[in-house]
Amino acid sequence: MLRQILVRLSQQPQLRDFAAHNKLARGMAERFVAGETLEKAIAVVRDVNARTMSATLDHLGENVTSKQEAIEATNAACSMLAALTSAGVDCNASLKLTQLGLDLGDELARENLRRILDQAAESDTFIRIDMESSEYVDRTLDIFYRLFETYQNVGVVLQACLYRSAQDLERLIVAKARVRLVKGAYLEPASAAFQQKVDVDANFVKLTEMLLADAHYPAIATHDPAMIAAAKRFAAGHQIAASSFEFQMLYGIRRDLQTSLVAEGYRMRIYIPYGSHWYPYLMRRMAERPANVMFVLGSIAREVTARGT
Ligand code: FDA
């Protein structure tokens, strides 16, 4: 119930401005977001690299409503790629198609992505298309397949919560595409997605095994120790080298687990978001873990008590 409320709140653009000026929300965002500027983000990438982990940078933004915003987001992605190249860091990029104008038309998003892929190809940088809510999956995959004919440096994400993902994965495996597997961060109807954690987890394990057995450098993106243990078990049981896949986690979450997996010899990539449009991202992170909300409510209570009001 709390998760549903928080995910719904993440979709309220009016709250974005309120959050941007709210001290508590900004403080909370600092835990999950590298900062508002590219310079701060690159500094965090360097820290992550120093911990012998790779990174993927996400210039935050989604659901733009004008062509101008879509072009600005594309320009920002190109500037980010140039900065990554000149910094010489171990980092690729993640982006969302609604940030590149998908709500305004497939062609706009596709041509903006093509511009980014052209630039990324020059420095051999990989671009990951994040997956958004289920209503975007068909169009996201269509754009991916169209561009994958020309560009090898692009991959997609599948969500274990969706019934369709096993079928989507079979097709991606045949195409030899690079896939990141996640549980899914959006509120989905029972007609499209498993509603119980136990079913999402079972599907995550099934898709992980398909990916590890057949796919091309897959990314298992989760903080769930049970999912990680299942991936490790399957890899060990099928002589799959630790260098042929990677685990991925979000910046600010389970740093202890990130470190211990690297110490065991696994590859780890940290997803690092930055920029000023952090509100929907922050709300999805809050929705994933009620304790985060309790932390914020606790801070408010302490502030109110301290003020004696
Ligand atoms: P689960 O939610 O079961 O959490 C397992 C444990 O992890 C929790 O018990 C807690 O300890 C810790 N944890 C999880 N979330 C936390 C949080 N917010 N704060 C503190 N602790 C937390 N989704 C999507 O729909 N499209 C996408 O493109 C992506 N991309 C993506 C990239 C990467 C690198 C990651 C790691 C995740 C995504 N996601 C995503 C988000 C994903 O769908 C999912 O919502 C989160 O990863 C949380 O699910 P877990 O697999 O961690 O399991």
Side-chain angles (χ1 to χ4, degrees):
M1 181 65 177
L2 187 55
R3 173 168 188 257
Q4 283 155 345
I5 294 170
L6 290 165
V7 178
R8 284 218 175 87
L9 288 177
S10 78
Q11 293 153 346
Q12 302 294 316
Q14 334 58 294
L15 289 178
R16 210 179 300 162
D17 294 338
F18 169 77
H21 297 104
N22 180 275
K23 217 172 121 196
L24 194 65
R26 289 180 74 96
M28 194 64 192
E30 276 170 21
R31 187 183 149 192
F32 297 107
V33 176
E36 297 212 347
T37 64
L38 180 55
E39 290 70 30
K40 283 194 178 153
I42 299 244
V44 172
V45 171
R46 287 193 201 283
D47 283 350
V48 162
N49 286 173
R51 294 167 61 216
T52 54
M53 297 173 197
S54 309
T56 183
L57 215 47
D58 165 30
H59 180 241
L60 289 163
E62 51 201 88
N63 296 107
V64 302
T65 53
S66 72
K67 192 173 170 189
Q68 184 55 31
E69 283 177 284
I71 289 168
E72 280 166 15
T74 306
N75 292 341
C78 290
S79 304
M80 176 177 89
L81 289 172
L84 288 178
T85 307
S86 66
V89 284
D90 173 7
C91 183
N92 61 35
S94 294
L95 50 78
K96 291 181 174 52
L97 290 183
T98 66
Q99 183 178 22
L100 305 185
L102 190 60
D103 288 333
L104 303 163
D106 291 19
E107 195 183 340
L108 176 66
R110 189 180 66 236
E111 293 315 306
N112 283 336
L113 178 55
R114 190 188 298 280
R115 184 147 76 83
I116 294 168
L117 289 172
D118 272 331
Q119 180 168 335
E122 283 173 23
S123 55
D124 205 16
T125 303
F126 179 78
I127 303 292
R128 177 79 65 182
I129 308 171
D130 285 348
M131 191 57 83
E132 301 177 72
S133 58
S134 56
E135 66 194 277
Y136 292 110
V137 174
D138 274 328
R139 293 161 69 204
T140 302
L141 290 177
D142 284 351
I143 291 176
F144 165 75
Y145 281 118
R146 179 89 177 261
L147 292 175
F148 191 55
E149 287 168 11
T150 313
Y151 301 89
Q152 297 307 301
N153 59 327
V154 62
V156 275
V157 177
L158 287 183
Q159 297 150 324
C161 66
L162 300 184
Y163 305 134
R164 60 175 288 168
S165 289
Q167 234 177 329
D168 288 333
L169 181 53
E170 278 169 16
R171 188 171 165 215
L172 286 163
I173 286 173
V174 171
K176 303 188 193 322
R178 267 176 70 175
V179 175
R180 172 202 292 154
L181 179 65
V182 301
K183 287 192 186 178
Y186 298 84
L187 212 54
E188 300 291 357
S191 55
F194 298 106
Q195 303 295 304
Q196 303 299 322
K197 176 177 160 57
V198 63
D199 297 322
V200 176
D201 287 358
N203 202 35
F204 192 100
V205 171
K206 173 180 153 185
L207 300 181
T208 295
E209 295 181 353
M210 287 169 68
L211 268 170
L212 289 174
D214 277 312
H216 300 268
Y217 199 65
I220 312 300
T222 179
H223 317 92
D224 187 338
M227 302 300 105
I228 292 166
K232 284 159 66 173
R233 232 181 358 256
F234 186 84
H238 293 77
Q239 286 78 47
I240 295 166
S243 57
S244 63
F245 63 98
E246 65 184 29
F247 287 113
Q248 295 189 352
M249 292 193 196
L250 300 176
Y251 172 71
I253 302 181
R254 292 303 310 260
R255 207 178 140 107
D256 56 335
L257 198 48
Q258 298 167 10
T259 307
S260 64
L261 283 166
V262 170
E264 287 172 52
Y266 293 100
R267 292 189 176 186
M268 173 63 65
R269 185 178 301 274
I270 307 301
Y271 184 108
I272 304 171
Y274 77 98
S276 50
H277 297 295
W278 43 261
Y279 171 73
Y281 180 87
L282 173 66
M283 294 306 282
R284 288 196 292 273
R285 300 297 76 81
M286 304 272 275
E288 281 153 6
R289 193 161 177 259
N292 290 338
V293 183
M294 294 308 156
F295 172 81
V296 172
L297 292 178
S299 313
I300 293 173
R302 276 193 294 281
E303 211 174 294
V304 169
T305 312
R307 275 203 231 127
T309 50

